[in-house]
Amino acid sequence: MAAHPSHAPRSPPLSSHLPAQARGSSDPSHGSGLARFNALSPEAAEAVLLHCCGSRRWAQRVARHRPYPDPGALLAAADEASYDLSQADLGEALASEVPVELDHGAPYAALLALDAAHAEYERKFGHAFVICLDGHPPEEQADQLLTAVRRRMELEADEERSISADELRRLAQVRLADLTHWLTSPDGVSAADSGLFAPVG
């Protein structure tokens, strides 16, 4: 049986960036994930935020405005920072993204087609294809991806860059929600969750 196409490696587990007191504890006094995020050092906060968006300026801005009183305030600040990205900031964020990695249960033909589409897209636009698949069940993701990448291949560079920026903003929102959920866990990240903060998906 032929092997599945290779995919870009996942990013290092988020836990590698967290100080010991933020990696999980059975002590309920450590509070919610947002409280733990607010309590991180500036360096640790920026490090975990870079898993949500690869722009250093974005991460610094979101970290600098702590403490956040509630998750809505954090997401609003992240949105504001996303809309304020310069072209250089956006380029830095896009450079940190990798293609979406589908589950290996996906049909082999779909994986081959998607790898070819990603390669063609990167040749044209110079960065990985970015899309937020939140809300789409895994069995639909291959079709969603192929349809989207083929449609967006027809766009001019400026229009596609604008769409990519909005997809990055949406991804940052999803990843921030995952971040605060992860920090709430009393056991830290499990082996099954170690890919939670992969750059895309």
Side-chain angles (χ1 to χ4, degrees):
M1 178 181 290
H4 284 292
S6 61
H7 294 273
R10 296 284 191 179
S11 59
L14 181 69
S15 56
S16 64
H17 294 298
L18 292 177
Q21 66 268 26
R23 293 179 189 162
S25 166
S26 59
D27 182 356
S29 67
H30 281 217
S32 70
L34 181 60
R36 290 184 182 180
F37 172 69
N38 284 334
L40 293 176
S41 70
E43 296 77 15
E46 290 173 19
V48 295
L49 285 167
L50 283 171
H51 283 266
C52 301
C53 175
S55 162
R56 286 171 292 181
R57 182 167 168 265
W58 180 92
Q60 290 164 359
R61 181 170 173 175
V62 176
R64 187 170 62 243
H65 284 86
R66 295 174 303 151
Y68 293 100
D70 54 61
L74 170 59
L75 295 178
D79 250 7
E80 184 178 348
S82 294
Y83 285 123
D84 197 36
L85 291 178
S86 68
Q87 287 300 307
D89 298 329
L90 177 58
E92 181 182 36
L94 288 171
S96 75
E97 299 289 322
V98 298
V100 178
E101 183 175 316
L102 290 177
D103 186 278
H104 285 288
Y108 181 65
L111 292 172
L112 281 176
L114 188 57
D115 274 5
H118 278 310
E120 185 180 1
Y121 177 95
E122 289 186 30
R123 279 194 297 272
K124 179 172 181 178
F125 294 112
H127 58 79
F129 179 72
V130 179
I131 188 170
C132 180
L133 293 173
D134 188 48
H136 294 289
E139 63 270 17
E140 296 179 5
Q141 290 186 1
D143 287 342
Q144 291 285 336
L145 278 167
L146 279 170
T147 299
V149 71
R150 287 168 176 167
R151 182 182 69 250
R152 287 164 56 183
M153 276 289 298
E154 303 302 317
L155 302 177
E156 296 297 325
D158 287 348
E159 186 177 4
E160 174 55 22
R161 196 170 179 88
S162 176
I163 292 173
S164 295
D166 194 55
E167 293 294 332
L168 279 174
R169 181 190 61 79
R170 295 174 61 211
L171 282 169
Q173 295 277 303
V174 174
R175 292 166 180 170
L176 279 170
D178 287 342
L179 167 63
T180 54
H181 173 76
W182 184 90
L183 286 170
T184 303
S185 168
D187 300 315
V189 71
S190 68
D193 292 330
S194 61
L196 185 65
F197 288 88
V200 172

